[in-house]
Amino acid sequence: MKIAWIGTGVMGKPMALHLAHAGYEVSCYNRTIEKAKALEPQVKVFDNIKSLVKDADIVFSIVGYPKDVLDTYQEVMKYAKKGAILVDMTTSSPTLAKNLAVQAEELGFIMLDAPVTGGDIGAINATLSIMVGGNEQAFHTIKPLLEKMGKTITYMGKAGNGQHAKLANQTAIAGAISGVAEALFYAKTKGLNQTDMLKVITGGSASSWQAQNNGPKMIDGDYKPGFYIKHFLKDLNLVLEEKEDLPLIVVEKVARIYQLLVDQEMQDLGTQAIIEYYLKQNV
Amino acid sequence: MKIAWIGTGVMGKPMALHLAHAGYEVSCYNRTIEKAKALEPQVKVFDNIKSLVKDADIVFSIVGYPKDVLDTYQEVMKYAKKGAILVDMTTSSPTLAKNLAVQAEELGFIMLDAPVTGGDIGAINATLSIMVGGNEQAFHTIKPLLEKMGKTITYMGKAGNGQHAKLANQTAIAGAISGVAEALFYAKTKGLNQTDMLKVITGGSASSWQAQNNGPKMIDGDYKPGFYIKHFLKDLNLVLEEKEDLPLIVVEKVARIYQLLVDQEMQDLGTQAIIEYYLKQNV
């Protein structure tokens, strides 16, 4: 089984290598070709999508933004082998995922959307959570491959549903991380010891992964990115694009906060820097 | 050491009994006196605050609203023994707590604020988290008693800080529970299986106590109260009272949602019924 892999960034690189290490024949392409070259000789590298995909049975991609996904697959679908399974693992637009799946079917391919959570650590340790939308039979075909990259593989239903699941997941994060930030900010302005405060929060029903992992960083002003603000804002904006008339009022507020942080050049900080929004209010 | 206990409701009853079982001499008063009588003969019962507090070394209270706290302590401070330590464990106003501590000092008492988290289960199992504000020496005096009721006892600083800590804790909950509700609501409207979705959420960085414990209840429409909406709204309104110019925009939104639910007579449902706000939008 020949595998083509597009996008060998922070996430894509370890994911592609897991497949290669599992014995699959993996070929890679990356827009900045040097990043792909760094994976040789464990994978073969092509400097164009046409050569990469023409013999591939399965094409994986994990790129940047929905625009990149669209551009990538317009080219992939020109040159891929009929019957190939195309799997986009970028966090991207559910509507785009649905449209691409329709286009793929018309052209004789099957396209799945399979975004992930778990970050670079999850990618490196192959402990990602992968949410898959699209043709169920194709899902079962590629499931053994996904199991090389992730620990929790969940089939979410029709095309686009993988993306919807990822966006719902980010929605839950938006609430949790803003709640922790507001709590620590409130505590600080009232003169409480923030470390004691965080111990209280993480000790009971107010606890969350965000409180446990990003709470200490908020207190220390450690904004080294685990997850970039620019990427989280991209995700939240995708939620807002899909929300139609849904009253997702917390997500809306949190997206606005992150937009303000990006406006202040904080896009390359970690999401925990949301606390800066509060601290900068000069109250 | 003679202990007076005011308020033998769902929380106060097991808390007072823990002290009695530990060998302390506990006397109780409750506005609805039958509830206190139910604790005999493990505690002594008085039908008025005057008789209850006149010989007490320590007075504990856990009543309903700030107004009840104020009324209770106006009477307690008329009749209590000079030097008595007064400990209000109600979730109440930090400003009121500070004012009562000042008044207490003027009258020869020491007053602490010591609200709790952990709910009725925590009260019954003596696993509460207790946050204490006020005189530090008095805190150390009563700490052995608090340890009979709770597992995590945290000194938060000056009078009012126990209440501030509790409100910060509720702030974190507001973010987490609204995030879970918006995520599950989004998933539902997009046709995803909510149970699969919740598994994804609780499997990674979107996870929270609220997702784990209230998520399944939101999906099932099980609104049996673990924590009443009316009490959570009381807490969030206390945060808003204390917020001054602080931009606590998520808490503000969540308080508004719970107010709308109370306006629709849902005050006696559990906080997980926040999902009803979303489901009722007829989108």
Side-chain angles (χ1 to χ4, degrees):
Chain A
M1 190 187 291
K2 289 191 175 180
I3 295 170
W5 191 282
I6 300 169
T8 55
V10 177
M11 299 294 291
K13 176 183 164 176
M15 292 163 76
L17 286 178
H18 288 311
L19 293 180
H21 294 157
Y24 292 101
E25 187 184 335
V26 181
S27 299
C28 291
Y29 166 81
N30 194 68
R31 203 159 46 182
T32 309
I33 200 71
E34 292 70 30
K35 286 194 188 170
K37 293 267 187 208
L39 279 65
E40 289 177 320
Q42 302 167 83
V43 307
K44 210 165 165 180
V45 174
F46 287 96
D47 68 356
N48 65 87
I49 286 180
K50 181 177 177 178
S51 316
L52 177 84
V53 303
K54 68 180 177 34
D55 297 321
D57 302 297
I58 303 176
V59 179
F60 285 100
S61 62
I62 182 158
V63 294
Y65 291 82
K67 169 94 177 63
D68 305 315
V69 174
L70 179 61
D71 291 350
T72 297
Y73 280 96
Q74 293 322 298
E75 215 174 334
V76 168
M77 290 195 223
K78 259 189 231 160
Y79 304 113
K81 201 167 75 174
K82 296 299 157 196
I85 299 175
L86 317 179
V87 188
D88 181 39
M89 302 187 80
T90 317
T91 294
S92 174
S93 153
T95 299
L96 174 61
K98 275 184 279 188
N99 293 343
L100 286 176
V102 169
Q103 187 188 353
E105 197 179 348
E106 286 168 0
L107 296 171
F109 311 112
I110 298 169
M111 181 143 183
L112 304 174
D113 48 301
V116 309
T117 67
D120 50 349
I121 306 292
I124 290 165
N125 298 333
T127 55
L128 294 169
S129 171
I130 308 177
M131 297 143 272
V132 188
N135 183 296
E136 191 164 3
Q137 201 185 325
F139 164 71
H140 287 293
T141 304
I142 66 155
K143 198 179 175 203
L145 284 79
L146 299 180
E147 286 168 344
K148 302 296 175 201
M149 306 179 231
K151 200 180 56 176
T152 312
I153 320 296
T154 315
Y155 180 69
M156 300 303 304
K158 64 183 191 297
N161 279 13
Q163 297 297 350
H164 279 312
K166 174 69 189 275
L167 297 186
N169 188 74
Q170 304 307 75
T171 295
I173 290 177
I177 197 169
S178 61
V180 177
E182 292 198 3
L184 289 176
F185 171 66
Y186 176 89
K188 185 188 171 88
T189 60
K190 300 304 180 183
L192 275 59
N193 178 300
Q194 288 186 93
T195 301
D196 289 342
M197 188 64 237
L198 188 60
K199 217 171 57 187
V200 168
I201 288 173
T202 55
S205 60
S207 193
S208 61
W209 189 100
Q210 293 298 327
Q212 288 161 23
N213 292 274
N214 276 326
K217 295 177 184 176
M218 290 182 193
I219 293 172
D220 295 341
D222 168 10
Y223 303 143
K224 200 156 53 67
F227 186 46
Y228 284 112
I229 282 181
K230 62 186 171 193
H231 292 155
F232 194 42
L233 179 59
K234 174 193 87 165
D235 298 354
L236 297 181
N237 281 334
L238 287 169
V239 177
L240 298 183
E241 269 179 31
E242 295 288 331
K243 89 177 189 62
E244 299 166 15
D245 292 332
L246 305 181
L248 302 179
I249 60 184
V250 171
V251 171
E252 247 175 312
K253 287 290 171 190
V254 176
R256 195 172 304 171
I257 291 174
Y258 279 111
Q259 183 60 59
L260 288 167
L261 295 180
V262 168
D263 293 346
Q264 293 168 49
E265 310 288 334
M266 292 191 230
Q267 63 275 1
D268 292 326
L269 302 182
T271 49
Q272 68 273 24
I274 187 174
I275 191 77
E276 280 294 307
Y277 165 78
Y278 296 98
L279 296 175
K280 290 202 166 172
Q281 297 293 319
N282 293 321
V283 285
Chain B
M1 192 187 291
K2 287 190 177 179
I3 295 170
W5 190 282
I6 300 169
T8 55
V10 177
M11 300 293 291
K13 176 183 164 177
M15 292 163 77
L17 286 177
H18 288 311
L19 293 180
H21 293 156
Y24 293 101
E25 188 184 335
V26 181
S27 298
C28 292
Y29 166 81
N30 194 69
R31 201 160 48 183
T32 310
I33 200 70
E34 291 69 30
K35 286 194 186 171
K37 293 266 188 209
L39 278 66
E40 288 176 324
Q42 303 168 80
V43 307
K44 211 163 164 180
V45 174
F46 287 96
D47 67 357
N48 65 86
I49 286 182
K50 179 178 178 176
S51 318
L52 178 83
V53 302
K54 68 180 175 35
D55 297 321
D57 301 295
I58 303 177
V59 179
F60 285 100
S61 61
I62 183 159
V63 294
Y65 291 82
K67 169 94 177 62
D68 304 316
V69 174
L70 178 61
D71 292 350
T72 297
Y73 280 96
Q74 294 321 300
E75 214 174 334
V76 167
M77 290 195 223
K78 258 190 232 163
Y79 303 113
K81 202 166 79 172
K82 295 301 156 192
I85 299 176
L86 317 179
V87 188
D88 181 40
M89 304 188 79
T90 316
T91 294
S92 173
S93 155
T95 300
L96 174 61
K98 276 184 278 188
N99 293 343
L100 287 176
V102 169
Q103 186 188 355
E105 198 180 349
E106 287 168 358
L107 296 171
F109 311 111
I110 299 171
M111 181 143 182
L112 303 174
D113 49 301
V116 308
T117 66
D120 50 349
I121 306 292
I124 290 165
N125 297 335
T127 55
L128 294 169
S129 171
I130 309 178
M131 296 143 274
V132 188
N135 183 294
E136 192 165 2
Q137 198 184 327
F139 165 71
H140 287 293
T141 304
I142 67 155
K143 199 177 173 206
L145 284 79
L146 298 179
E147 285 169 344
K148 301 297 176 201
M149 305 178 230
K151 197 179 57 173
T152 311
I153 319 295
T154 315
Y155 179 69
M156 300 302 304
K158 63 184 193 296
N161 279 13
Q163 296 297 350
H164 278 313
K166 175 67 189 277
L167 297 186
N169 188 75
Q170 305 306 77
T171 294
I173 291 176
I177 197 169
S178 61
V180 177
E182 290 197 5
L184 290 176
F185 171 65
Y186 176 87
K188 186 188 170 91
T189 60
K190 300 302 180 183
L192 274 60
N193 178 301
Q194 289 187 93
T195 301
D196 289 342
M197 188 63 238
L198 188 61
K199 216 171 56 187
V200 168
I201 289 173
T202 55
S205 60
S207 192
S208 61
W209 189 99
Q210 294 297 327
Q212 287 161 23
N213 292 274
N214 275 327
K217 294 178 185 176
M218 289 182 194
I219 294 172
D220 295 342
D222 168 9
Y223 302 142
K224 201 156 53 67
F227 186 45
Y228 284 112
I229 282 181
K230 62 186 172 192
H231 292 154
F232 194 41
L233 180 58
K234 174 193 85 166
D235 298 354
L236 296 181
N237 281 334
L238 287 169
V239 178
L240 298 182
E241 269 178 34
E242 296 287 330
K243 94 177 186 61
E244 301 165 14
D245 292 332
L246 304 180
L248 302 178
I249 60 185
V250 171
V251 172
E252 247 175 313
K253 287 291 173 188
V254 176
R256 195 172 306 169
I257 292 173
Y258 279 111
Q259 182 61 58
L260 288 167
L261 295 180
V262 168
D263 293 347
Q264 292 168 49
E265 310 287 337
M266 292 191 230
Q267 63 276 1
D268 292 326
L269 302 183
T271 48
Q272 68 274 23
I274 187 174
I275 191 76
E276 281 292 309
Y277 165 78
Y278 296 97
L279 296 175
K280 290 203 165 171
Q281 297 293 319
N282 292 322
V283 284

